[in-house]
Amino acid sequence: MSAVQTETKYRICPICEATCGLEIDVKGREIGAIRGYKDDVFSEGFICPKGVSLRELDTDPDRLRVPLVRRGGELQEASWEEAYAEITKRIRPIIEQHGRDAVGVFIGNPTAHKVALGLYLPVFRKAVASRNMYSASTLDQMPKQVAVSLMYGDALSVPVPDLDRADLHVVMGANPIESNGSMWTVPNFRGRVKKMQQRGGRLVVIDPRKTRTAKLADDYLPIKPGTDAYFLAALVNTMFAEGIVDLGAAAPLYEGLDGLEAHVADYTPEAVTALTGIDAEAIRQLARDLVNANGGGIYGRIGTTLQEFGTITSWLIEVVNILSGNLDVPGGMMFPKAIALQRNASGKVGPGMRLGRYQSRVRGADEVMGDLPAICLAEEIETPGDGQIRALFTIAGNPVLSAPDGNRLGRAMDSLDFMVSVDIYLSETSRHADVVLPGTSPFEECQFDIGFNQLSVRNAARFSPTMFPPKPLAEGGRPQEWQVMLQLANIVAGRDEPIEQTDDNIIRNHIMAQVGRPGGLIEGRDPEQIWQELDPFTGPERQIDLAIRTGPYGDGFGANPDGLTLQKLIDDPRGVDLGALEPRLEEIAGRMPGGLIDLAPTEIIGDMPRMADRLNRDEDKFLMVGRRNVRTNNSWLHNLPLLAKGPNKCTLQINTGDAAALGIVDGGMAKVSGDGRDLEVQAEVTDEIMPGVVSIPHGFGHDMQGTNWGVASAQPGVNSNHIANNDAIDPLSGTAVLNGIPVDVTAA
Ligand SMILES: Nc1nc2c(c(=O)[nH]1)N[C@H]1C(S)=C(S)[C@@H](COP(=O)(O)OP(=O)(O)OC[C@H]3O[C@@H](n4cnc5c(=O)[nH]c(N)nc54)[C@H](O)[C@@H]3O)O[C@H]1N2
Ligand SMILES: Nc1nc2c(c(=O)[nH]1)N[C@H]1C(S)=C(S)[C@@H](COP(=O)(O)OP(=O)(O)OC[C@H]3O[C@@H](n4cnc5c(=O)[nH]c(N)nc54)[C@H](O)[C@@H]3O)O[C@H]1N2
Ligand code: SF4
Ligand SMILES: [Mo]
């Protein structure tokens, strides 16, 4: 009979941006049932199958638990000391002989979800000090971040739908019923939409596929992939033509309205109908509805960013929302104010972005926000010369599946002098490494959302302490991931100091920054006293405590006694609700040069001539788009039985008419070719995709040699990015074009 009692623990789900609160039965080190936590102030009990599957993630026998070091060509288990020693031995000579740019880094999506990585990656990046920084951002949301930076001064100044008070919600190129939202933290999207509809509000979905979100909609407009910019330009054109532009009370905060009309003059609703596939009158009606809405706006996501005109489209979405009077009003598109680490709430003055401060070596692509485009990674490894990448770190990333032409990237990885991956699986990418350092289970780290609190449908905050702290390294245990990042930082920087000391130095610098911040909550205070008050927190907790206490709701270490501290969040797992979103436009505009928001940033206007070209382009190919399923998360949850079960998720969706014309049958095989490569994939014949469009989800193709996917390899699917063109790019954001890929389709 066991004396170990079942306890209930609470924590924030780290998988997707909805950040649901979970209620978890725990017995010793064992996870029992996982449920949605009803009393969570933010997610109110919402959960999806991925949250439930965290138990299987924790126990997955294929998840890496010890470091691997390549010896005699084989990855073999090693101690942490051996792995760190191997990295030191191999990386230092490369840096000493070839300089810092010889080290490349690829940073993947989970680094935005795990606070241990989010807080300590910047330390590692700074230590590497190479221009060869790459991330999943240029395979994802970078266009939106470029657009909002140029307009609102910061890459996370992203207005999000205030859905709970909206009466017209337009979803463009997103499928939140499956994805649970992105660049917008919104648990229970369905429930919130239903409530809006009960209030008399309307949901409009614009997507080439009739998605589950589209099925919930009052209006569904199928659009040809990659043509959203034309559709949006026609909305703007209509608003000017009909004289219904309405900037509202915020009008004095904008500049650039005068020139705008001329930039969209060619894009009348009639002029874009053939290209977009959307009827001119539907465009006019939506323009009027947006102006007349009592709070609403267009929300655009991966279908609008990961495409040919990503930055222009993201900018036009903002323009439409502004011209229709929907920015910064209740029910419209609003700027959240997070509890901690929100740059646009800290008084720092913008503008947020200078593009192209340097260029990539081989093709001369512009740097964006300190990254070079992910599509440049392979050529920067392959091409000899000064500045060639000879060593690569991948941190929670799987670019062999997430980036175009992954087989080429994999071959390039094999040509490196040295490669390190920090990952929880032996994936299509980490299998190429010489040293693989295992990440932790989510239950072995604390959790707090830095970015997603800044993108939240309501202002709220929660914190989850570490549930199962690993035994310290000195006692035969393992480091947490923030400690791994610090150790790697010290190795590449050649710093011979214990990571505890590095961490102390980091927090001391943060304290100095806060006591020196004009107008800050602890301006002019004694740094030593603040240091002592942070005791006994260390690591991420200490950084979070300092950030909360000096943030917009913080206690200011006594300056504002009712304010928040990390301890208050620890004491109440339900979290704190900080209320509905509030108008912030004056504050946002005040950070811009001249105190004005530019409706027509020069850089983006300079990119618009590209749009004219496509109007005359001959398009005779199918256009391939991606999609998401609620039981997947990019490339790495396919190994959990709970999620992997059921029919093949990696199918080619093709319209019934197209399939009939090509002799492709439902369940049969099709051959899809793009950029000189092809793949064979099971067809799913359906009316829920537009004619001329096909869809394959990304993140599959788990049959490559050297991975360790016991479950996922049984239903491997295909890597859709194998046929994506590595040269197709949205130039301003350096983002790959992975929606609207031209392909040929035949029966196989
Ligand atoms: N065609 C097409 N391509 C796409 C997309 C698309 O829609 N269509 N979407 C793009 C988007 S939006 C994104 S974000 C990218 C994703 O691109 P990536 O970030 O490169 O890919 P992921 O599949 O998210 O891989 C994450 C890796 O991190 C590991 N991991 C998970 N949790 C942890 C952890 O806690 N610690 C550590 N150390 N490792 C962990 C996983 O095992 C996995 O190997 O893909 C992009 N690629
Ligand atoms: N279940 C699950 N949830 C996830 C993820 C996952 O893999 N699985 N990934 C997470 C990540 S990293 C991200 S970035 C988010 C993404 O979140 P979402 O953007 O909501 O992702 P998708 O479900 O891929 O929806 C994109 C939609 O855009 C449509 N589309 C494609 N091209 C175009 C176009 O040119 N124009 C228009 N208007 N539509 C187009 C597609 O048909 C698709 O329905 O999801 C996150 N959440
Ligand atoms: S919706 Fe996202 S955050 Fe919520 S349980 Fe599912 S994966 Fe986790
Ligand atoms: Mo993403």
Side-chain angles (χ1 to χ4, degrees):
M1 285 217 300
S2 158
V4 184
Q5 297 292 309
T6 299
E7 300 170 83
T8 309
K9 304 250 182 176
Y10 306 95
R11 63 185 298 111
I12 313 162
C13 176
I15 292 181
C16 90
E17 300 180 39
T19 72
C20 302
L22 307 176
E23 183 180 85
I24 307 171
D25 293 340
V26 176
K27 205 171 181 181
R29 176 59 182 80
E30 251 171 64
I31 307 275
I34 301 182
R35 301 170 291 274
Y37 180 25
K38 281 207 286 301
D39 293 333
D40 184 292
V41 296
F42 182 62
S43 61
E44 298 176 325
F46 183 77
I47 190 171
C48 86
K50 295 185 293 302
V52 178
S53 76
L54 282 175
R55 175 168 177 265
E56 291 184 344
L57 181 66
D58 187 56
T59 55
D60 187 349
D62 294 335
R63 187 167 59 76
L64 299 176
R65 288 167 175 80
V66 291
L68 303 174
V69 174
R70 193 173 296 279
R71 295 208 172 95
E74 297 280 308
L75 283 171
Q76 294 175 0
E77 295 197 352
S79 70
W80 282 90
E81 290 79 1
E82 286 165 337
Y84 284 153
E86 179 75 9
I87 298 171
T88 310
K89 189 178 96 191
R90 305 275 302 270
I91 199 78
R92 294 300 314 160
I94 293 173
I95 295 174
E96 275 148 28
Q97 278 174 38
H98 302 287
R100 305 212 146 265
D101 289 342
V103 182
V105 180
F106 181 90
I107 295 167
N109 167 278
T111 63
H113 292 264
K114 196 171 211 176
V115 72
L117 289 169
L119 283 172
Y120 286 88
L121 255 176
V123 184
F124 175 66
R125 280 183 77 127
K126 196 168 158 208
V128 176
S130 162
R131 287 189 168 184
N132 278 309
M133 293 288 168
Y134 303 83
S135 79
S137 290
T138 52
L139 303 169
D140 186 352
Q141 83 290 351
M142 193 62 100
K144 194 188 260 298
Q145 297 199 284
V146 170
V148 300
S149 289
L150 293 171
M151 297 180 79
Y152 312 124
D154 187 87
L156 274 174
S157 283
V158 178
V160 299
D162 180 22
L163 182 57
D164 298 339
R165 294 181 287 184
D167 75 357
L168 175 61
H169 179 54
V170 183
V171 172
M172 187 170 210
N175 188 6
I177 291 288
E178 307 279 0
S179 71
N180 283 301
S182 179
M183 297 304 277
W184 181 29
T185 288
V186 58
N188 196 11
F189 172 82
R190 177 193 296 278
R192 291 172 196 270
V193 164
K194 289 265 179 215
K195 277 193 185 154
M196 175 185 74
Q197 288 169 327
Q198 278 156 19
R199 292 194 301 272
R202 282 170 56 226
L203 172 70
V204 178
V205 171
I206 305 169
D207 197 300
R209 298 185 310 115
K210 188 160 192 188
T211 61
R212 282 169 69 209
T213 305
K215 288 177 191 163
L216 195 66
D218 302 275
D219 279 305
Y220 164 56
L221 303 175
I223 191 169
K224 187 161 158 193
T227 68
D228 305 77
Y230 302 84
F231 175 82
L232 292 158
L235 288 177
V236 176
N237 180 295
T238 302
M239 288 179 192
F240 280 114
E242 301 195 354
I244 54 175
V245 168
D246 170 21
L247 294 183
L253 298 179
Y254 298 110
E255 61 178 337
L257 182 67
D258 293 343
L260 208 51
E261 188 171 3
H263 296 305
V264 295
D266 291 344
Y267 303 110
T268 60
E270 280 73 16
V272 305
T273 291
L275 181 61
T276 60
I278 300 180
D279 178 61
E281 195 43 39
I283 298 177
R284 290 206 170 84
Q285 193 55 46
L286 185 63
R288 294 173 202 135
D289 289 349
L290 281 162
V291 172
N292 292 332
N294 210 344
I298 302 183
Y299 159 73
R301 201 44 198 98
I302 204 89
T304 64
T305 56
L306 201 54
Q307 57 129 297
E308 187 175 358
F309 300 104
T311 305
I312 296 176
T313 303
S314 300
W315 162 67
L316 281 171
I317 287 175
E318 298 303 319
V319 170
V320 166
N321 290 337
I322 292 169
L323 298 197
S324 58
N326 282 305
L327 184 66
D328 200 48
V329 298
M333 307 296 291
M334 302 190 79
F335 296 96
K337 188 176 240 180
I339 176 174
L341 298 170
Q342 180 155 0
R343 288 209 310 179
N344 76 17
S346 73
K348 212 174 141 216
V349 172
M353 180 171 297
R354 278 192 10 248
L355 297 163
R357 291 169 296 179
Y358 47 90
Q359 280 69 39
S360 72
R361 183 179 59 107
V362 178
R363 78 171 75 185
D366 279 342
E367 156 278 345
V368 236
M369 286 170 62
D371 273 5
L372 290 172
I375 59 160
C376 298
L377 181 54
E379 68 200 24
E380 293 294 335
I381 299 172
E382 294 162 349
T383 314
D386 234 21
Q388 179 185 12
I389 299 178
R390 291 159 190 275
L392 179 70
F393 287 84
T394 69
I395 316 290
N398 195 2
V400 169
L401 293 190
S402 55
D405 199 359
N407 290 352
R408 171 181 170 194
L409 183 55
R411 287 191 300 273
M413 286 171 175
D414 283 337
S415 76
L416 287 161
D417 292 346
F418 187 52
M419 176 169 162
V420 178
S421 291
V422 185
D423 208 289
I424 58 172
Y425 284 108
L426 206 50
S427 72
E428 290 69 16
T429 296
S430 61
R431 71 188 168 126
H432 293 282
D434 300 292
V435 178
V436 184
L437 300 176
T440 48
S441 155
F443 302 106
E444 294 168 339
E445 306 268 357
C446 67
Q447 182 60 2
F448 177 79
D449 288 298
I450 304 170
F452 306 130
N453 283 341
Q454 304 183 35
L455 298 165
S456 193
V457 69
R458 260 185 98 77
N459 291 317
R462 293 147 306 148
F463 176 83
S464 312
T466 305
M467 238 163 79
F468 304 140
K471 251 198 308 181
L473 195 49
E475 294 166 31
R478 58 149 301 154
Q480 290 179 307
E481 285 206 74
W482 63 276
Q483 294 168 316
V484 174
M485 295 319 299
L486 279 178
Q487 191 67 54
L488 291 179
N490 285 355
I491 291 172
V492 295
R495 255 192 317 255
D496 190 16
E497 67 183 19
I499 56 167
E500 292 73 18
Q501 189 182 329
T502 316
D503 193 39
D504 285 353
N505 293 341
I506 290 166
I507 201 79
R508 284 190 190 277
N509 285 339
H510 288 328
I511 293 172
M512 293 314 289
Q514 285 301 331
V515 299
R517 178 158 72 86
L521 264 184
I522 60 169
E523 186 186 0
R525 294 274 291 275
D526 173 14
E528 202 48 42
Q529 185 218 342
I530 305 294
W531 164 264
Q532 280 163 20
E533 286 209 39
L534 290 168
D535 193 62
F537 292 127
T538 58
E541 284 91 343
R542 184 163 57 177
Q543 288 203 44
I544 294 165
D545 193 33
L546 178 65
I548 290 176
R549 297 176 78 174
T550 54
Y553 312 88
D555 83 334
F557 295 86
N560 175 18
D562 294 334
L564 291 175
T565 62
L566 176 60
Q567 194 58 51
K568 285 189 184 171
L569 292 187
I570 292 173
D571 292 343
D572 191 343
R574 296 171 304 174
V576 282
D577 178 36
L578 300 163
L581 303 184
E582 284 178 14
R584 291 191 65 200
L585 201 61
E586 261 179 69
E587 197 186 338
I588 301 283
R591 297 165 42 81
M592 298 305 293
L596 294 175
I597 290 166
D598 189 357
L599 289 172
T602 326
E603 295 86 342
I604 300 178
I605 300 299
D607 192 28
M608 285 187 80
R610 272 199 310 133
M611 284 176 67
D613 300 343
R614 176 150 183 195
L615 269 183
N616 310 315
R617 194 192 298 165
D618 232 2
E619 293 191 320
D620 52 356
K621 295 200 184 257
F622 280 93
L623 296 177
M624 181 173 83
V625 300
R627 65 177 191 268
R628 281 169 171 75
N629 175 293
V630 74
R631 286 174 189 270
T632 69
N633 193 48
N634 297 331
S635 72
W636 60 279
L637 286 185
H638 302 143
N639 211 51
L640 308 183
L642 186 70
L643 301 178
K645 69 180 183 197
N648 181 10
K649 297 179 189 75
C650 186
T651 57
L652 173 86
Q653 291 185 339
I654 183 166
N655 178 272
T656 313
D658 290 335
L662 294 168
I664 292 173
V665 295
D666 191 45
M669 297 302 282
K671 184 171 135 188
V672 189
S673 319
D675 202 33
R677 294 176 296 280
D678 48 51
L679 41 83
E680 284 194 12
V681 54
Q682 191 181 14
E684 179 187 340
V685 177
T686 170
D687 289 331
E688 293 175 353
I689 190 161
M690 282 173 81
V693 182
V694 292
S695 167
I696 308 179
H698 75 287
F700 288 89
H702 298 300
D703 49 2
M704 298 183 192
Q705 286 287 313
T707 56
N708 187 24
W709 302 112
V711 175
S713 58
Q715 227 181 30
V718 296
N719 174 12
S720 65
N721 285 330
H722 176 55
I723 56 174
N725 180 345
N726 205 41
D727 294 321
I729 181 174
D730 172 53
L732 282 179
S733 68
T735 302
V737 178
L738 299 178
N739 282 307
I741 299 175
V743 295
D744 293 309
V745 182
T746 52

